[in-house]
Every structure is written in structure tokens, then in C-alpha cells.
Amino acid sequence: MQKKRLRDPEAHRAAILQAARGAFAELGYAKATIREIARRAGVTHGLVMRHFGSKEMLFVAAIPGPKPVDELEPGTPETLPERMAKAYVTRMEHPANDDPFLVLIRSAASGERAAEDLFATMRQPIHSAYGPVVDGRDAEGRIDLMGALLIGVTFNRYLLKSGALAEMPPDVLIGHLARTLRAILFE
């Protein structure tokens, strides 16, 4: 006798997202497949695609992106670099980290095409989150520069875990990042 499937879209979606977080964190973006995520979630490949449409969109839904400016710790526009730096370091210092920056960097090592697709998918939320506060000359390029800075710090401190940057106390890193972000934001 075949087991009857229950229709519970929200439970299925939650199970898929949880399975995707685990698969992306463990395997990296390139090696995590929709079939593997479906198997972990106890659903079909087709159901994953029905809910999310593509692997890239599943990744974006499963792994939290950058916080929009209005979700950062409250403060004035002048303190934005410090608030951004603090939010980033606090988030990245989490011991069981499945942050999208780590997955992106792991993916770059496993395949350039996967990293390109993933970066293109992640770029839009970053621009949406920070576009409202970055204006003036070359705003789009400066937002990309902020992303590149944080990806570089992520690579050195949280993936390679070597050198002075990796050994730096979090509060010192926050100070350095805040100064650099200030130069990018308020050019």
C-alpha cells in the first residue's frame, strides 16, 4: 500500500528551505543539487522547482542576504558605516555559519560559472538593500565595491582563517571596516 502524501505547501516550503541551507553549507553551491535538496526535504524534485523555480532562486530564499538599511541598528546616516560593519561582523562571527558569502566563495573555487550565476542572483538584493543610501557619482559601482570588500574579508577571515585579518579581534575589524565603508559610501 502506497503512503498517501499530505498537501501542506508551507510545511513543504519550510522543509525545502531547511534542507537547502544544510546542502549549500555542506556541499557548496555548485555541488548541492536540486535532487539532493529534495531528498533531504522528503519531497520531489518537481515540488522544489514549483516552489522556487531555479537553484539560484532557492539559494537566495534559503540563505539570508544583506540586511536592508532600515533593518540595521537604528542611527543617523553618519553612523551607517559603523552599523553596517557591526552587523556584518556579528553575522559572520556565528560559529555554525552558512552565510551566502561563504557559499559564494566556496562556489567560486568549484566552478566559475556557478559563482557568476550566484553573484548575479545575489547582486540585486544587495543593490536593493543599499541603493537607497548610496547616491552620487558611480553609486552602482560603489555598491559593488562594498560587496567586493566584504567578500574579500570573508575569504581571508572566515574561509582561509589565516593571517592578521583572521586573528584580529572583532571590535578592531569593525573599526577598520567602518572606515573603509565610510570612504565608499560618502565619496
Side-chain angles (χ1 to χ4, degrees):
M1 186 168 142
Q2 195 173 18
K3 187 176 176 182
K4 186 175 179 177
R5 293 182 186 224
L6 296 176
R7 291 182 190 241
D8 188 349
E10 289 307 310
H12 288 150
R13 183 177 173 79
I16 293 166
L17 289 171
Q18 182 176 358
R21 284 183 197 105
F24 288 133
E26 291 169 31
L27 305 171
Y29 178 80
K31 292 182 181 176
T33 65
I34 294 293
R35 291 198 188 287
E36 172 62 16
I37 292 166
R39 184 193 64 74
R40 290 178 182 211
V43 300
T44 66
H45 171 273
L47 187 62
V48 174
M49 296 306 288
R50 196 168 316 131
H51 275 282
F52 297 98
S54 69
K55 182 176 171 180
E56 292 84 4
M57 295 310 296
L58 173 58
F59 177 82
V60 169
I63 309 292
K67 283 186 173 185
V69 174
D70 60 352
E71 290 181 21
L72 293 174
E73 183 178 296
T76 65
E78 294 77 28
T79 63
L80 181 60
E82 289 79 10
R83 293 182 289 131
M84 288 172 65
K86 182 179 178 185
Y88 165 79
V89 171
T90 300
R91 175 177 161 180
M92 296 305 295
E93 291 291 317
H94 190 275
N97 208 323
D98 61 355
D99 194 272
F101 286 125
L102 290 174
V103 177
L104 175 66
I105 292 167
R106 284 186 191 116
S107 297
S110 64
E112 186 176 319
R113 180 66 188 158
E116 287 174 9
D117 291 346
L118 192 51
F119 180 74
T121 302
M122 289 180 65
R123 189 172 183 266
Q124 193 281 323
I126 291 168
H127 279 263
S128 295
Y130 295 105
V133 295
V134 179
D135 58 8
R137 189 173 54 89
D138 196 26
E140 190 171 327
R142 291 180 12 243
I143 293 170
D144 284 347
L145 182 58
M146 287 188 324
L149 167 68
L150 296 178
I151 287 172
V153 171
T154 302
F155 182 77
N156 187 286
R157 183 176 177 92
Y158 301 103
L159 226 60
L160 292 180
K161 299 178 182 180
S162 67
L165 185 59
E167 296 169 9
M168 190 177 292
D171 59 325
V172 174
L173 176 59
I174 290 169
H176 289 309
L177 281 175
R179 283 189 296 282
T180 305
L181 289 169
R182 178 173 306 287
I184 294 169
L185 284 170
F186 301 126
E187 179 181 90

